[in-house]
Amino acid sequence: MARNNAGKQPAISEEAHVAAAAVAATATTAEAYDQNPLRDPRDKRLPRVAGPCVLVLFGVTGDLAKRKLLPAIYDLGNRGLLPPGFSLVGFARRDWAHEDFAQVTYEAVKEHARTPFREEVWKQICEGIHFCPGEFHDDGAFDVLAMMLKEIDETRGTGGNYAFYLSVPPKFFPTVIEQLKRTNLAKAPEGAWRRVVIEKPFGHDLKSAQELNAITSAVFPESSVFRIDHYLGKETVQNILALRFANTLYEPIWNRGYVDHVQITMAEDIGIGSRAGYYDGIGAARDVIQNHLLQLLALVAMEDPTSFDADSLRREKEKVLKAVRLPEDLGTGTARGQYTGGWQGGERVIGYLEEDGIPPESKTDTYAAIKLEVANRRWAGVPFYLRAGKRLSRRVTEVAVVFERAPHLPFSKDDTEILGQNALVIRVQPDEGITVRFGSKVPGTAMEVRDVSMDFAYGESFMESSPEAYERLLLDVLIGDPPLFPHQREVELSWQILDPIEEYWAKHGRPDGYPAGSWGPSSADAMLARDGRVWRRL
Ligand code: BG6
């Protein structure tokens, strides 16, 4: 680990520098991967490794850094996927030395890393850890950061390749981006790269998203901007593409001729925790429907891309988002709720309005349900029902494609009364897998038919556990591989879908209450009941 404070030469062992720089100078990424002594030769799932580089993390004291980002860096290292000389620079308003940040990282890794702790991996990562104390508006701190990066290039062979990860509230984006411009850090010298990673929210409506983008794109070219929607990093979400485009089984029935409707659910059992400052005024629809759920919808509804490169994939997703139509009556085609006190997991929990930092008159939705249509030849007339909420009965995210009923049943009514509709359910989390539901004969002398399920579970079919979404996305940033990052056009199209709904809600009353631990407000059930349907019971 580097020692002492910002601007000083980090004290890293001489041999480590020499070895790292030597490998970095000569190795291709594939060679670097092969030469890495920590590489697991059985690990074929992510056999890609970035070239030498530095990851600069703004917002290292935040929850995301602690729970996801720092552990993901360790997990990548543990799997031999970090380049030799890889360095991590934390930037925050803390009076820390490099050692303090290393200690914070160590604790985050110990508590949240997915892969087992290995001293030798930690040691290697630790050698590249640096900290730069400062505030975002402080020119001096950014000058120190620029110096520090230059020194790291010299000592660790990172070649001027920097990724700047903005894990900070959006109000700070302009200042940080302006500082990166002022210090010339945004501009890559010949043969090097500079990338910026932005965490959602990308604005809170179309206008603010455009403003934010104008700030970013004035400094970084679009190809250097990586917008994180962590759902796209989830294995189960990428598997939607595999399921649809690597198989012949589903394509013939993946359309309005066979699909009755689609339900996309993101249910969380947690409340807002300590995130009142972010969440209030944002709400469930802006927090997760605008991004995660609309991305899921796009992946389920899109046509096959000509390849999985970023342009082809994004183009197909954009076509879907452009084809999305809102219900004519937003009053009956949407529902929103706000949790009240209740019971969850055997414990009494407080309501949203009692949470710390929430104004008593807040109208923020903690539950949102929206009915959408994708107006194209494949999907016209098929409703896509999206719902998301906090403090629901359990944590589950899934996409359920529900098929039409059989047009004719040659059975007596008694035999088939409880028969439901065929469904294909992509279980995104926590019980990752796919379920197919269909009717089957109950053993016996009568022709009694009942619904049964056929299951694929990741845990049973594959030996290894899935990488965390942030592991995959961080690796893609360092490699410079953009397919799993939404383009600004997708962000804007998604706000165009949501803005009219938010405007309608703002003018019409307040969210309906629903008790914590329930499945949301009755208005959401009524929304489906009007269409003769019910939400899946999860
Ligand atoms: C984030 C939202 O994008 O996703 C949070 O801001 C939410 O409110 C989180 O809790 C859920 O992520 P996951 O991966 O646990 O489903």
Side-chain angles (χ1 to χ4, degrees):
M1 179 202 23
R3 261 170 258 288
N4 301 326
N5 260 322
K8 300 211 187 106
Q9 179 81 359
I12 307 161
S13 94
E14 192 72 6
E15 303 92 56
H17 290 154
V18 174
V23 176
T26 55
T28 62
T29 50
E31 282 164 348
Y33 179 71
D34 283 344
Q35 288 168 22
N36 190 324
L38 302 174
R39 179 176 78 92
D40 178 349
R42 290 166 308 173
D43 189 355
K44 295 210 175 59
R45 195 169 34 191
L46 287 173
R48 304 177 306 146
V49 65
C53 60
V54 186
L55 176 66
V56 183
L57 201 50
F58 296 99
V60 284
T61 53
D63 205 41
L64 184 73
K66 196 171 107 197
R67 284 190 308 113
K68 301 286 182 189
L69 304 177
L70 298 172
I73 291 166
Y74 167 82
D75 287 325
L76 285 174
N78 204 5
R79 302 174 65 214
L81 298 174
L82 289 180
F86 171 81
S87 302
L88 169 69
V89 176
F91 185 107
R93 197 179 49 181
R94 288 284 192 286
D95 191 17
W96 285 349
H98 301 311
E99 290 85 350
D100 300 315
F101 177 44
Q103 181 61 26
V104 167
T105 308
Y106 176 80
E107 281 160 20
V109 167
K110 276 286 202 175
E111 200 177 340
H112 298 288
R114 180 180 66 85
T115 60
F117 188 80
R118 291 202 280 162
E119 199 59 52
E120 67 272 29
V121 176
W122 169 245
K123 228 175 120 227
Q124 202 177 58
I125 291 175
C126 197
E127 279 171 1
I129 290 185
H130 300 70
F131 185 72
C132 182
E135 304 209 27
F136 299 140
H137 64 257
D138 177 0
D139 289 359
F142 276 81
D143 293 341
V144 171
L145 175 67
M147 257 156 52
M148 190 183 277
L149 287 169
K150 210 156 164 266
E151 284 170 14
I152 294 173
D153 282 343
E154 281 158 20
T155 54
R156 293 184 59 79
T158 41
N161 301 318
Y162 312 147
F164 301 102
Y165 196 124
L166 273 60
S167 178
V168 298
K171 65 175 181 209
F172 296 121
F173 288 0
T175 318
V176 176
I177 287 175
E178 191 45 46
Q179 290 283 18
L180 296 175
K181 181 180 170 200
R182 187 189 62 78
T183 46
N184 233 358
L185 284 170
K187 202 156 183 283
E190 190 65 26
W193 53 259
R194 302 286 155 94
R195 295 178 190 135
V196 66
V197 187
I198 318 182
E199 266 292 339
K200 62 167 266 282
F202 313 122
H204 51 88
D205 57 13
L206 177 62
K207 190 164 166 280
S208 54
Q210 284 169 335
E211 284 164 6
L212 186 64
N213 190 53
I215 291 163
T216 317
S217 63
V219 177
F220 288 94
E222 176 62 30
S223 59
S224 303
V225 182
F226 288 70
R227 298 176 189 83
I228 295 247
D229 181 321
H230 79 280
Y231 263 59
L232 294 178
K234 291 183 191 273
E235 285 285 326
T236 40
V237 172
Q238 291 161 46
N239 195 33
I240 296 174
L241 297 175
L243 177 87
R244 293 197 53 208
F245 303 126
N247 299 299
T248 49
L249 201 53
Y250 310 107
E251 175 54 23
I253 53 170
W254 209 261
N255 56 53
R256 65 191 303 272
Y258 293 88
V259 176
D260 176 70
H261 71 280
V262 178
Q263 292 189 18
I264 304 181
T265 301
M266 178 179 172
E268 294 185 275
D269 51 2
I270 52 170
I272 55 150
S274 55
R275 296 169 79 216
Y278 158 71
Y279 199 86
D280 196 56
I282 290 289
R286 286 192 179 104
D287 183 35
V288 297
I289 293 187
Q290 186 272 344
N291 37 72
H292 309 328
L293 268 58
L294 284 177
Q295 283 289 325
L296 287 175
L297 178 146
L299 294 174
V300 170
M302 71 185 213
E303 298 304 314
D304 49 334
T306 45
S307 78
F308 284 135
D309 68 40
D311 279 352
S312 314
L313 199 60
R314 288 163 168 177
R315 200 172 310 129
E316 294 306 331
K317 285 194 287 169
E318 280 165 32
K319 281 191 209 159
V320 174
L321 295 171
K322 266 189 205 146
V324 166
R325 298 286 173 273
L326 296 177
E328 269 174 29
D329 178 355
L330 290 176
T332 53
T334 69
R336 68 192 151 136
Q338 191 180 70
Y339 63 82
T340 56
W343 288 88
Q344 198 147 45
E347 269 181 34
R348 181 118 201 111
V349 294
I350 55 173
Y352 181 72
L353 296 180
E354 285 103 59
E355 299 276 13
D356 256 1
I358 301 297
E361 72 288 358
S362 171
K363 282 167 62 181
T364 299
D365 50 299
T366 61
Y367 176 101
I370 299 174
K371 173 183 169 181
L372 298 173
E373 189 189 334
V374 179
N376 61 20
R377 197 178 186 95
R378 188 187 280 265
W379 295 113
V382 177
F384 284 72
Y385 299 105
L386 276 48
R387 63 173 162 166
K390 298 242 182 239
R391 281 274 183 245
L392 296 182
S393 185
R394 57 180 282 243
R395 174 175 182 254
V396 52
T397 301
E398 64 156 50
V399 177
V401 180
V402 182
F403 293 92
E404 298 277 2
R405 290 181 192 282
H408 168 69
L409 292 173
F411 310 103
S412 83
K413 191 168 178 297
D414 290 351
D415 287 341
T416 57
E417 208 166 27
I418 50 169
L419 201 57
Q421 284 163 277
N422 293 166
L424 185 138
V425 183
I426 299 157
R427 304 194 310 269
V428 173
Q429 62 189 24
D431 173 25
E432 290 98 349
I434 294 173
T435 302
V436 179
R437 190 182 66 191
F438 56 99
S440 176
K441 182 180 177 307
V442 179
T445 49
M447 186 46 110
E448 186 188 349
V449 182
R450 208 183 279 164
D451 281 334
V452 293
S453 291
M454 208 158 64
D455 264 356
F456 148 66
Y458 273 76
E460 282 169 22
S461 299
F462 301 114
M463 303 279 281
E464 311 97 306
S465 64
S466 298
E468 276 279 331
Y470 278 100
E471 232 171 299
R472 171 63 194 263
L473 296 176
L474 273 173
L475 180 63
D476 284 2
V477 167
L478 302 183
I479 291 175
D481 204 13
L484 297 181
F485 300 84
H487 191 276
Q488 174 67 11
R489 287 189 300 268
E490 293 169 72
V491 172
E492 293 190 11
L493 285 166
S494 302
W495 282 121
Q496 274 168 29
I497 295 168
L498 201 62
D499 278 358
I501 298 174
E502 291 286 355
E503 278 161 27
Y504 177 89
W505 285 347
K507 287 193 200 125
H508 293 84
R510 46 174 302 111
D512 303 315
Y514 65 94
S518 71
W519 274 107
S522 54
S523 50
D525 297 331
M527 177 181 134
L528 256 71
R530 277 190 286 273
D531 292 352
R533 301 191 174 97
V534 288
W535 290 109
R536 280 170 45 78
R537 280 195 220 113
L538 303 174

